[in-house]
Amino acid sequence: MTSLAEEINNKFANYFSIILKYRRTYYLIIVVSLLCGLLFVNIARKRYTARSTIFPTGQVSDIGMLAKVAGYMPMDFLNEGMVESSSFLFPDIIRSREVLVEVLTTPLEFHKGGELIRITPLEYFKANLNDATILRFRKRVKVESSLRTGLITVSFTDRNPEFAAGVVNLIVDELDEFNRTKRKFKAKENIEYIRGRLDDVGKELAQIEDTLTKALEQNRNYQTQGSPRIRMEIESLQREYQIKSSTYTMLAQQLEQENLKRRRDTPIVSILDRASPPTTPSFPRKKLLTLSILLVALAVGTLVIFYRESTGKAGAPAASQQNLVSCIREDIVSIARFFKGRK
């Protein structure tokens, strides 16, 4: 065990001495890498990400209807007994073709090159309205939802911060308008359908009531003196009358509920935080880029010095582990003298 530990210590000491011997190569690689990184940061075109936070405030039945209109869910998927959490539906509605087309074709006012312009996102992208353009735009629109809080964050990244914020606000406004318009349109359709069914059931109920009244007048003592066939006919009419009466009452209640929904103008989307032009670029990230460059430089430097050591002469001098502080101190003094002489 002792010999194995000594062997491991010797290997580490050997590796350390090699690194210490070629430390100036390390310095050179790190400095060059950092300079290249700084050059890239200054040359690379900055991108800005604008965000807006919304919160669904409508019931799941209303939002399920909107998802049905958008073409994502069957109407019978949702029911009144489900919970009111609806965040999982909004990302699909936001990415729907109808919403995105409205956003792409709506004029937007922002500054470009110091000049205030008013153009549509489609004109800004210099593209035609087709499936490929909608697909590219959909990929740039990011929607994140929290299952715990129900909050939804909509974000968009572009080189122009004002344009990015304008697009996000357009998406949120269009989502709200989509919800209001489609909900009222669907409510109107439901009212017309229920009213039609109510009229039909009312006519059927009146006919059955009239037939039952005549049968009872003609057979007042049918329970004691009537034949079994007459009793069965009257009982069948009574059951049918009860069913039609219950159906008529239920349709009347549904019609009243739909009328209340139509008159109600409560927004389904509550905008908690509208997007504003970001001042800090989301790309490139200086801290993350610097750390990444430093790690890559250390890895490349290690490979380079061990390659140099493997291809160098066998009698090359090696620094000891104990003189690490003195070596670094000498390097700092040499660098300080270099810059002082330059002044």
Side-chain angles (χ1 to χ4, degrees):
M1 293 293 293
T2 304
S3 59
L4 179 60
E6 291 178 355
E7 183 178 355
I8 294 175
N9 289 334
N10 291 334
K11 285 185 177 180
F12 274 108
N14 185 34
Y15 294 154
F16 185 82
S17 63
I18 294 173
I19 293 174
L20 196 59
K21 182 174 66 175
Y22 293 104
R23 64 187 183 280
R24 293 182 180 176
T25 302
Y26 253 130
Y27 300 158
L28 180 62
I29 293 175
I30 292 175
V31 170
V32 171
S33 300
L34 290 177
L35 289 176
C36 292
L38 291 175
L39 182 62
F40 173 77
V41 169
N42 292 325
I43 293 178
R45 293 186 176 181
K46 297 179 181 179
R47 299 175 185 174
Y48 299 85
T49 300
R51 294 179 176 85
S52 178
T53 304
I54 61 177
F55 181 71
T57 57
Q59 291 185 350
V60 73
S61 58
D62 293 334
I63 300 171
M65 177 269 292
L66 295 173
K68 169 64 178 177
V69 174
Y72 284 98
M73 300 180 62
M75 184 60 73
D76 56 358
F77 179 80
L78 300 172
N79 55 68
E80 295 292 340
M82 294 181 64
V83 295
E84 293 190 356
S85 176
S86 54
S87 301
F88 66 98
L89 292 176
F90 273 89
D92 286 338
I93 297 177
I94 291 174
R95 297 189 184 100
S96 65
R97 181 184 181 91
E98 184 172 352
V99 172
L100 295 182
V101 168
E102 288 295 328
V103 173
L104 285 171
T105 55
T106 301
L108 184 63
E109 195 173 82
F110 59 96
H111 288 88
K112 183 179 180 181
E115 180 183 357
L116 183 63
I117 59 176
R118 181 180 175 84
I119 58 176
T120 65
L122 200 63
E123 294 171 336
Y124 177 81
F125 296 139
K126 298 179 180 179
N128 298 321
L129 186 60
N130 49 42
D131 292 339
T133 302
I134 296 174
L135 180 60
R136 288 194 299 268
F137 184 62
R138 181 180 292 140
K139 290 181 179 179
R140 295 182 62 179
V141 176
K142 305 298 181 183
V143 185
E144 300 176 352
S145 58
S146 173
L147 297 177
R148 184 175 61 86
T149 62
L151 296 178
I152 299 173
T153 302
V154 183
S155 61
F156 185 81
T157 302
D158 192 78
R159 295 169 184 170
N160 190 314
E162 291 187 18
F163 177 77
V167 168
V168 173
N169 289 328
L170 274 180
I171 293 173
V172 174
D173 292 340
E174 181 58 33
L175 175 64
D176 185 52
E177 181 64 22
F178 177 87
N179 289 339
R180 291 174 183 270
T181 304
K182 296 303 179 182
R183 182 176 60 172
K184 290 183 178 181
F185 176 76
K186 192 63 180 180
K188 182 180 178 181
E189 284 188 339
N190 290 341
I191 289 173
E192 292 176 355
Y193 173 77
I194 294 173
R195 184 178 287 119
R197 287 291 300 142
L198 190 64
D199 293 340
D200 294 339
V201 173
K203 293 177 182 179
E204 295 173 0
L205 181 63
Q207 292 177 357
I208 296 173
E209 185 177 6
D210 184 62
T211 304
L212 180 61
T213 301
K214 291 179 179 180
L216 291 175
E217 289 177 350
Q218 294 174 1
N219 303 276
R220 295 180 181 276
N221 299 320
Y222 73 95
Q223 293 182 345
T224 58
Q225 299 178 3
S227 63
R229 183 179 63 82
I230 293 177
R231 287 200 300 270
M232 291 182 62
E233 289 179 355
I234 293 177
E235 290 175 355
S236 176
L237 287 173
Q238 289 176 338
R239 286 194 300 270
E240 189 173 358
Y241 176 80
Q242 291 177 354
I243 292 174
K244 292 296 182 181
S245 179
S246 299
T247 303
Y248 186 87
T249 303
M250 182 187 65
L251 289 172
Q253 292 175 351
Q254 290 183 353
L255 181 61
E256 183 63 23
Q257 291 176 359
E258 291 297 329
N259 283 324
L260 290 175
K261 284 184 179 180
R262 187 178 181 182
R263 289 193 294 268
R264 187 179 60 196
D265 195 28
T266 304
I268 294 180
V269 178
S270 178
I271 303 175
L272 302 181
D273 184 21
R274 295 189 66 86
S276 58
T279 57
T280 304
S282 58
F283 177 85
R285 299 180 180 178
K286 293 183 179 180
K287 293 182 180 180
L288 181 61
L289 182 62
T290 302
L291 181 59
S292 301
I293 290 174
L294 184 60
L295 293 177
V296 172
L298 291 175
V300 172
T302 302
L303 293 176
V304 169
I305 63 175
F306 277 99
Y307 176 77
R308 289 187 58 185
E309 179 68 17
S310 64
T311 57
K313 296 182 180 179
S320 62
Q321 186 173 355
Q322 287 74 15
N323 63 356
L324 171 62
V325 177
S326 61
C327 290
I328 296 177
R329 186 179 299 166
E330 291 177 1
D331 294 335
I332 294 175
V333 171
S334 299
I335 294 173
R337 289 177 178 175
F338 173 78
F339 284 105
K340 186 180 294 185
R342 297 278 295 187
K343 291 182 181 180

